[in-house]
Amino acid sequence: MTATAMSPATSATSLLLLHTWGGDARTWAPALRFLCAGGRAAEAPDLPGHGERAAEPFTLAGAVETAAARASAVRDGPADNPADRLVDVPEDRTVNRPVNRLVDRPVDVVGSGLGALVALALARQRPGAVRSLTLVGFPPAGGPAAAGRLAETEERLRRAGTAAFARGYVEGTLRGPDPARRELLRRAMTATRPRTLLDSLRATLGWADDEPPRPPGPPCLVLRGAHDERVGAEAARTLAGQLGCTYAVVPGAGHVAYLDEPEAFAAVLGDFHHGLDRAAGGPAGRYGTEHVPPMRHSSGPPTPTLPER
């Protein structure tokens, strides 16, 4: 069975996909089979300090500039979509290059973990570039708990080294049994410098210390893997309420939902985007959106949209 047969109908709005902490653009390969089936344009860049840019220092400003450049790129018409060619090749195939060309109009931005931090900053700094925002597995606050995790990570990196740390992190974070998907994240994290891991983790965990939660502007979805042990259900719901976002769950997934359950991840994301399409008079998706409530921008916590089992 091909990815096309299992995927939601394709939205006309392009996707900008920002990878998780310690990941790179290649980690989107399994999800791209579903997200781009039918020809939807998408781009998954390496953030500074990651993937092919491992020699660069990580800064949030640099990461936002990377995202903004991809989101606002003007291209001369559609290119062939490398995601279509991923349907029949191994999932660990390198895709750390632009996945497809984006048009000069607002895009649907999806960020996981570190990528969610970058996506939120992009939406606040360049609201005209973002049609919608999806934050996946995003930590809801900083404070003592964040400081403790940073110190623990620094000590584990010092004692074990990056390769052993990456292996342990992947084994403790990904729920899916597929070894190829685990290898994507393990390989990416192993190639990332310890300083980059610590700098990017510090920025991600401390985001609320520097800038209190407030609505980002565009329609927003807080998305959590049902079995995410790093961001709890109540914390994710609270974050959604603080940001005035919709809240949804990816069944069966853990912290890195786009790697754990790429098909379910694409289906939930597709429902959210097609809800926006319908609101704008565009085409509806094949999947129902009953688990994605109407967009809300209030301070009260949203109602959970799927049972978390």
Side-chain angles (χ1 to χ4, degrees), residues 219-240:
C220 176
L221 173 68
V222 168
L223 190 55
R224 175 182 177 270
H227 303 289
D228 187 346
E229 296 180 356
R230 298 185 180 276
V231 178
E234 188 56 36
R237 291 190 191 103
T238 298
L239 177 66

Side-chain angles (χ1 to χ4, degrees), residues 81 97 172 203 205 282 295:
N81 191 341
R97 55 185 171 81
L205 293 174
M295 299 308 303

